[in-house]
Amino acid sequence: MILLQMMRWTSLLPVLIILSSLIPALLIFATPENAARRRTILNLGGIVIKLCLVLLMLLGVSQGLRFRFEVDFLPGASLVLQGDALSLQFVTLSSILWLATTIYAIGYLQKSQLKSRFFGYFSLCVSATVGIALSGNLITFLLFFELLTLATFPLVVHRGTDAALKAGRLYLVYTLSGGTLLLMGVALLHSITGTSDFVPGGYVSGAVEENRFALMAAFALMIVGLGVKAALFPLHGWLPRAMVAPAPVSALLHAVAVVKAGAFGIIRVVYDVFGVETGIALGLTPVLMLAAAFTILYGSIQALRQTDIKRRLAFSTVSQVSYITLGVAMAGPTAAIGAVVHLVHQGLMKITLFFCAGNMAETLGIHRIQEMDGLGKRMPLTMSAFTVGALGMIGVPPIAGFFSKWYLGLGALESGNDAMLAVLIGSSILNAMYFMPLIYRGWFAQPPTAGWPEDNFKKSRFETHWMMLLPPLFTALLSLLAGIFAGSLASPLGWTEFIISQEFAL
Amino acid sequence: MNDALLSLVTPLVAALIVLTGPAMTPRRASVVVLLGSAFSLAAALLALQTVTASGATQTLNLGGWEDGLAIRLRLSPLSALLLAFTALIHLLAGLYARFSRFASGDDFWVLSAFLHTALAALWLSADLFNLYITLELIGLAAVAMVALSGPKAYQAAADYLLLSLAASMIYLLGVVFLYSEYHTLDVMQLASVSADSARTRLALALITAGLMLKGALWPLHLWLPAAHAGAPAAVSALLSAVVVKGPLFILWLVWTEVAPADLAREVGPMVATAGMIALVAGGWAAMRSPYIKVLVAYSTVAQLGYALMALGLLMSWQIPQMHIALWLFVIAHGLAKASLFMAAGEMQGTLGTRRLTGLRGATQTVPIAMFAFAVAGGSLIGLPPSGGFLAKWVLLEPILSQPQNWPWAFGILLGTLVSAAYIFRVVVLAFDRATINPPDTRPHLMGHWLALLPALIVWGMALLGEQLIGLLAGGGV
Amino acid sequence: MSSLAANSIILYLLVAVALVMLGLYGLLVLKDPIRRLIAINIMGSGTFLTMIAFARRQDPPDPILHALVVTGLVVAISATAFALRLILAARESREAATSGSTEAEDE
């Protein structure tokens, strides 16, 4: 059977997309520390190949082709990779942001050691993320989900200091416990309904009558397991602590890999395993909605209390990722569009903010919010990118974040959850309250007379190392473009409408 | 059957050649024994193929004696699988002992070949007295191998031997009581005549106690950490991977075939509970151990808890999934544990300390051995798609399908978390870059890679998942 | 040669059980390894006596049990010899360690 699949390029393509970062990862591990050029070629070569393959698949899916690869694994549960519209959304996001983050990381880590190990795990991490996106059923999803935990852990503890090890331990306690609960949930569901491919509308509706309680337990186990990575309150404790990792890792964790994997998993479980109708019938979605709403407000309030830039961004992630969960839980097509598109929009904006925060820290030694005074004069480009990202997070048009919130708000009204509209508005106000001071200080406050805490890259032609400057500008531009061209099919929003029309059979 | 006999005899011949051959240097001995293991593995795989193709269990009465008198050998798909597993572990441990820089002792070769023979005989025996003999042979060979690491291990070896002899005596007494009731020692004959009686219960209690002591099954496991941690790495690997599985096999044989089904159903929950406690208590002890190899040894106590749990649930529910889960655990644990012990041996040899704290910065000083440790540990935790995951999945499915069985699932959940805790306790230390413990000697890469090999095989087991499950499901016995 | 009366078989069995219990007790209580080894051998004698007693329940006596006892004895003797040597070696190594205690362990 495998041989037969090898003959068809549509089966092969999902595997190749994963291999295009997995093979470079293994080769990078074997690369000597000082062979910087070989490592860069491997990194960038893998990305270029992956982007081409993803483009090919995008074209294929929009033409109606089906991509599916299957190999035997457990009884009644094969390993399945498939490319549908939703998975492609996530794959494309990860691949593009991988490109940006890799370039950024090369610049960021230029003087540090153990680069082969770092980039090896970095590529492994992206392979796991892409695997999560392409998973065709829960078992495959679980496999890549655990692989992601293992691949990100060395990145979190990369610095190897006491603080890093502590954060790493905490990260493992949360994510491995979450993974175990997810496994229990998946196994429980498998024992009730078997494991079939993800399918719009879910596949459990037939078992609702007899196994009501068991299904609810399975849902709870899976959501809690996924909620750890998605930083759903009260499972978010690891996320702010993991900020000790190097900036590119934070960017990856918050925008592409870990947090998004959890959110993506929630989307899959609600839409493609249980199905919206079953979720409502079992009374599950309102609970999820309340949890998400609480997390949104809680994260925003916590963000407001932080004085460290990266920690404020971290709590902002806690809040923003729950928008996705909220949109999913509202169980209506419009809210769903808001949720799925926010997966992309939040990624673009948040990664911009983290790149910028990293630039400030590396270039001028700025870690705290007060230290940002007058930054715009020394680093105008970084500050501009930061402003775009922050305004987007608040929801200022025409930046991408506005459209997420617009659809979420409409969805709240449409599904009769008016209270959620209040949550969204309240959260936006809080967003403004915790981002505006940063923007204000950066542009309008006077630079410190005593000089910056550090001042690196003075000899550089730009305000900082060009490999660290380009990525935030690129992603900021993308968040602008995603908003400006929101109406076209090639934009995240357009593609999302295509996905949701399939999910809800509109 | 002939293939299986060949698999049994090859290591014996190798041992005899090593003992009697002229000018037998350790180097030559290693070649002979490694060839023997490889040949034995090939023969076992052939036997596995024929016995699964024919689908029937084959028996052989040695010397042509009639049933009841003869030493009867029996080849089932399971025993063929265990033959292959044993040969594979011996091959892997042998390769490691041959190429690692840390000596396993010159007599390793002949002893490991004897151990291999005795284990093969155990898998093939279907007679309770014969099983006693194989148990004693295994015990003697294992004790001698513990003593290979030199005078400082003699005390642990002597303690191990005394316990092992006492355990055999208790087992033998139980066997005698069974014989006095049924006038046969043949497992298949016993299966057809056994009934629930006071004497049968006493006999089974004695047999169980003896075997649990031998197999270091909770709560009779206290001797294991000293013996397994004291031996040379290659020997520890053999002890944990295969030797403790021998008594487990007999326990399984006695409770699924000899014991009356109703009695087994009654005792099953107790056995499973012991397994659950083993999982948590062993894991807890591993989590608190300050020494690398003691940690790994306690992890064996914990992991045997999974097997005990599967056995207990097999006894009480009598469903084939538990049989599959039990043997998948045995195989997955064996491979992973071999890797863990070899990696631990390499690391403590290279870093010059037996303490866990010496592993600070091990990802930089001994990266490959540390990676082997982590990968093998992943299978013990049961991360997909490793062999440990496969076994756990098969164990979980029947438990989860009935809500009244969910408490058992909670035990597995706890076990998983505890395993993760003690494995990652080591892994986190290894990522320390602030206070790196510098190695005493340059890392010997060959040994590190060989330590990684069994771990890779156990992760590869996932690819064979369906075949293995089908194989174990096909032959119930 | 007739089979023994049921009473005397029970007597033998009682003695055998007493021996096993005695051995087990010794094994649990004693600390000295050689004494523990002797305790194990007493347990073994009890076990073998049980076998002989059961063998005499029929006429002629059950040959299989006798054969088993002979085999068991061989195993027990070999194991005892091995254990004795090992115990002595352990004692020697311990004594060597205590006499040369100036060279401390590396831990």
Side-chain angles (χ1 to χ4, degrees):
Chain A
M1 194 177 86
I2 294 176
L3 275 179
L4 204 75
Q5 290 184 359
M6 291 298 171
M7 313 290 278
R8 283 200 311 264
W9 70 277
T10 51
S11 306
L12 216 53
L13 195 57
V15 185
L16 288 178
I17 288 182
I18 291 178
L19 288 182
S20 66
S21 51
L22 191 62
I23 291 174
L26 298 179
L27 292 176
I28 290 169
F29 278 124
T31 307
E33 193 54 40
N34 48 14
R37 178 173 322 158
R38 197 197 309 173
R39 201 165 44 230
T40 307
I41 290 173
L42 281 170
N43 263 323
L44 297 180
I47 299 171
V48 169
I49 293 173
K50 185 185 291 275
L51 283 172
C52 294
L53 293 173
V54 170
L55 192 65
L56 191 62
M57 197 188 255
L58 270 171
L59 288 175
V61 168
S62 60
Q63 299 296 314
L65 280 178
R66 271 174 56 73
F67 297 90
R68 191 168 185 282
F69 176 82
E70 181 174 354
V71 53
D72 287 344
F73 182 40
L74 297 167
S78 319
L79 288 184
V80 177
L81 294 173
Q82 63 165 17
D84 61 14
L86 179 58
S87 51
L88 268 172
Q89 174 110 319
F90 195 22
V91 169
T92 314
L93 174 76
S94 337
S95 309
I96 292 177
L97 294 190
W98 183 35
L99 169 69
T101 317
T102 303
I103 293 174
Y104 186 81
I106 292 173
Y108 185 93
L109 288 172
Q110 221 148 37
K111 295 211 174 61
S112 78
Q113 288 171 334
L114 295 183
K115 277 182 291 218
S116 285
R117 188 177 95 185
F118 181 89
F119 282 103
Y121 283 115
F122 205 73
S123 298
L124 205 58
C125 182
V126 171
S127 311
T129 310
V130 172
I132 285 176
L134 292 173
S135 296
N137 61 22
L138 272 176
I139 302 285
T140 319
F141 182 88
L142 176 72
L143 192 155
F144 285 109
F145 196 75
E146 295 281 27
L147 181 64
L148 180 64
T149 303
L150 301 183
T152 42
F153 167 72
L155 298 176
V156 172
V157 296
H158 182 74
R159 290 215 164 108
T161 56
D162 265 353
L165 295 190
K166 240 187 193 153
R169 278 198 196 98
L170 194 74
Y171 177 67
L172 282 176
V173 168
Y174 274 93
T175 48
L176 287 175
S177 309
T180 310
L181 292 179
L182 181 66
L183 162 68
M184 290 287 168
V186 170
L188 179 55
L189 194 66
H190 182 82
S191 73
I192 304 168
T193 60
T195 296
S196 67
D197 282 8
F198 291 134
V199 48
Y203 54 82
V204 305
S205 54
V208 173
E209 289 295 315
E210 287 172 27
N211 299 292
R212 203 180 170 81
F213 177 66
L215 280 180
M216 285 168 76
F219 185 83
L221 284 168
M222 285 195 270
I223 293 297
V224 171
L226 295 164
V228 169
K229 282 215 170 93
L232 210 55
F233 180 87
L235 310 168
H236 65 282
W238 60 272
L239 187 60
R241 292 282 289 282
M243 301 308 311
V244 297
V249 175
S250 303
L252 198 71
L253 247 57
H254 283 255
V256 195
V258 179
V259 184
K260 283 301 162 57
F264 183 77
I266 292 176
I267 295 178
R268 279 290 195 206
V269 167
V270 174
Y271 288 157
D272 295 344
V273 175
F274 278 80
V276 173
E277 275 160 30
T278 313
I280 296 173
L282 289 171
L284 296 168
T285 47
V287 182
L288 187 60
M289 187 165 72
L290 286 180
F294 184 81
T295 312
I296 289 174
L297 294 176
Y298 169 85
S300 298
I301 292 168
Q302 283 293 325
L304 202 53
R305 294 180 50 210
Q306 306 302 321
T307 53
D308 185 279
I309 301 172
K310 278 181 87 179
R311 282 184 68 88
R312 181 167 283 194
L313 291 180
F315 276 106
S316 154
T317 303
V318 172
S319 163
Q320 293 279 339
V321 167
S322 284
Y323 279 45
I324 302 173
T325 313
L326 180 75
V328 171
M330 284 196 286
T334 314
I337 293 176
V340 175
V341 79
H342 199 53
L343 189 85
V344 178
H345 289 167
Q346 191 268 354
L348 292 173
M349 298 180 300
K350 190 39 82 49
I351 208 166
T352 311
L353 292 174
F354 271 109
F355 285 153
C356 293
N359 282 356
M360 297 173 202
E362 286 303 295
T363 314
L364 301 175
I366 293 174
H367 298 279
R368 304 171 64 80
I369 291 165
Q370 297 100 304
E371 295 166 343
M372 281 179 72
D373 286 353
L375 185 71
K377 297 196 175 65
R378 168 68 173 80
M379 302 177 77
L381 290 174
T382 301
M383 199 55 218
S384 308
F386 189 88
T387 308
V388 169
L391 290 179
M393 282 291 179
I394 298 167
V396 176
I399 306 165
F402 166 74
F403 293 92
S404 317
K405 290 198 177 176
W406 178 257
Y407 275 87
L408 283 171
L410 276 183
L413 292 176
E414 177 198 84
S415 60
N417 297 302
D418 296 5
M420 292 305 129
L421 188 62
V423 169
L424 287 169
I425 293 170
S427 156
S428 295
I429 294 171
L430 287 167
N431 290 164
M433 280 166 68
Y434 67 73
F435 273 129
M436 287 319 274
L438 277 71
I439 297 174
Y440 175 82
R441 277 173 190 274
W443 290 119
F444 303 112
Q446 284 306 309
T449 45
W452 305 102
E454 296 169 21
D455 207 344
N456 302 320
F457 301 111
K458 272 194 210 149
K459 283 185 210 137
S460 170
R461 191 135 61 90
F462 306 99
E463 58 194 55
T464 182
H465 193 285
W466 67 271
M467 287 180 112
M468 288 162 68
L469 185 59
L470 212 54
L473 294 177
F474 172 64
T475 51
L477 185 67
L478 282 184
S479 11
L480 265 175
L481 290 180
I484 292 167
F485 292 100
S488 89
L489 178 67
S491 76
L493 186 64
W495 187 260
T496 304
E497 282 169 342
F498 173 58
I499 296 171
I500 300 302
S501 69
Q502 292 182 331
E503 292 288 345
F504 284 81
L506 292 176
Chain B
M1 197 69 189
N2 285 335
D3 303 322
L5 283 181
L6 205 58
S7 176
L8 166 79
V9 170
T10 321
L12 184 62
V13 172
L16 294 176
I17 292 175
V18 171
L19 269 183
T20 59
M24 191 51 74
T25 57
R27 211 184 159 77
R28 287 188 195 156
S30 69
V31 174
V32 171
V33 172
L34 281 174
L35 282 177
S37 300
F39 197 74
S40 172
L41 176 61
L45 289 175
L46 273 178
L48 185 61
Q49 205 209 344
T50 38
V51 76
T52 43
S54 73
T57 300
Q58 305 168 9
T59 59
L60 172 73
N61 293 5
L62 286 185
W65 292 85
E66 60 194 78
D67 291 354
L69 276 178
I71 292 174
R72 179 135 73 152
L73 298 183
R74 177 171 66 167
L75 180 69
S76 62
L78 174 63
S79 49
L81 184 63
L82 289 173
L83 273 181
F85 165 66
T86 311
L88 177 65
I89 295 281
H90 273 264
L91 186 62
L92 292 168
L95 280 173
Y96 170 78
R98 168 74 178 75
F99 291 105
S100 163
R101 194 170 27 163
F102 304 105
S104 306
D106 292 350
D107 292 327
F108 173 83
W109 300 106
V110 64
L111 286 171
S112 85
F114 272 131
L115 180 69
H116 186 173
T117 314
L119 280 162
L122 193 153
W123 311 133
L124 291 174
S125 294
D127 169 296
L128 291 178
F129 189 77
N130 212 15
L131 286 167
Y132 160 74
I133 301 290
T134 56
L135 269 184
E136 285 291 51
L137 290 176
I138 292 169
L140 291 178
V143 168
M145 291 177 89
V146 172
L148 282 176
S149 61
K152 63 181 188 304
Y154 287 171
Q155 190 60 50
D159 291 344
Y160 178 24
L161 177 58
L162 289 179
L163 269 169
S164 167
L165 289 177
S168 313
M169 272 306 152
I170 297 170
Y171 167 79
L172 184 60
L173 194 61
V175 171
V176 170
F177 276 111
L178 270 190
Y179 181 85
S180 75
E181 181 101 345
Y182 303 111
H183 295 279
T184 178
L185 290 166
D186 188 276
V187 171
M188 283 168 279
Q189 291 185 353
L190 277 171
S192 57
V193 295
S194 72
D196 196 353
S197 72
R199 201 188 290 177
T200 309
R201 283 180 178 234
L202 174 66
L204 289 173
L206 286 168
I207 289 176
T208 307
L211 291 173
M212 286 180 82
L213 187 56
K214 269 228 175 220
L217 299 170
W218 193 91
L220 303 176
H221 63 279
L222 292 170
W223 58 269
L224 180 139
H228 284 199
V235 175
S236 306
L238 287 178
L239 291 181
S240 263
V242 283
V243 169
V244 291
K245 310 294 163 56
L248 188 68
F249 178 82
I250 305 177
L251 202 61
W252 166 80
L253 203 61
V254 166
W255 279 107
T256 54
E257 291 202 50
V258 175
D262 288 332
L263 186 59
R265 212 165 275 138
E266 192 183 318
V267 177
M270 276 155 58
V271 175
T273 308
M276 214 158 114
I277 299 173
L279 207 51
V280 178
W284 182 255
M287 222 157 75
R288 301 185 50 88
S289 156
Y291 299 106
I292 309 169
K293 281 186 78 177
V294 176
L295 181 147
V296 181
Y298 268 115
S299 125
T300 299
V301 174
Q303 292 285 318
L304 286 174
Y306 275 128
L308 212 51
M309 207 164 150
L311 176 63
L313 296 179
L314 171 64
M315 284 158 63
S316 79
W317 301 343
Q318 322 221 332
I319 48 172
Q321 283 101 317
M322 286 298 160
H323 171 80
I324 301 169
L326 170 61
W327 296 110
L328 283 179
F329 266 119
V330 164
I331 292 172
H333 169 254
L335 286 163
K337 195 43 71 66
S339 213
L340 277 183
F341 265 121
M342 294 176 198
E346 283 298 312
M347 290 194 288
Q348 74 177 31
T350 309
L351 298 171
T353 171
R354 288 182 287 155
R355 287 191 173 270
L356 215 55
T357 46
L359 293 180
R360 288 183 186 281
T363 48
Q364 278 162 272
T365 49
V366 280
I368 295 161
M370 193 60 228
F371 187 67
F373 191 95
V375 171
S379 175
L380 291 190
I381 300 171
L383 295 172
S386 65
F389 171 76
L390 201 64
K392 200 162 79 175
W393 180 267
V394 177
L395 179 65
L396 266 177
E397 278 306 313
I399 291 178
L400 287 174
S401 61
Q402 302 290 334
Q404 68 267 25
N405 298 333
W406 287 0
W408 297 116
F410 185 69
I412 296 174
L413 183 83
L414 271 184
T416 307
L417 294 180
V418 178
S419 324
Y422 64 73
I423 293 296
F424 279 101
R425 182 176 164 226
V426 178
V427 174
V428 170
L429 268 184
F431 276 97
D432 194 331
R433 282 168 74 180
T435 46
I436 292 177
N437 175 33
D440 280 10
T441 53
R442 266 191 67 226
H444 179 64
L445 287 184
M446 190 66 183
H448 295 196
W449 282 110
L450 284 171
L452 180 60
L453 189 57
L456 294 181
I457 296 177
V458 76
W459 281 75
M461 256 176 84
L463 297 176
L464 296 173
E466 287 224 273
Q467 283 92 321
L468 278 172
I469 289 170
L471 191 85
L472 287 166
V477 179
Chain C
M1 199 161 75
S2 67
S3 70
L4 281 180
N7 281 345
S8 44
I9 291 182
I10 287 177
L11 186 67
Y12 277 109
L13 279 178
L14 284 177
V15 172
V17 168
L19 283 175
V20 170
M21 297 311 257
L22 188 68
L24 200 59
Y25 175 77
L27 187 69
L28 293 176
V29 173
L30 296 173
K31 290 276 176 290
D32 184 73
I34 295 196
R35 287 175 189 233
R36 296 178 77 189
L37 182 61
I38 293 172
I40 290 170
N41 272 287
I42 292 176
M43 270 175 76
S45 307
T47 309
F48 297 140
L49 189 58
T50 318
M51 292 161 91
I52 305 279
F54 278 134
R56 279 307 295 268
R57 286 185 313 178
Q58 65 190 63
D59 189 32
D62 189 342
I64 292 185
L65 276 173
H66 281 200
L68 297 187
V69 170
V70 173
T71 318
L73 280 175
V74 172
V75 173
I77 288 175
S78 330
T80 305
F82 179 44
L84 278 174
R85 183 70 196 94
L86 196 58
I87 290 166
L88 287 182
R91 180 168 295 170
E92 280 159 20
S93 82
R94 212 172 37 239
E95 277 161 8
T98 41
S99 67
S101 59
T102 40
E103 41 170 330
E105 275 279 295
D106 60 335
E107 297 302 329

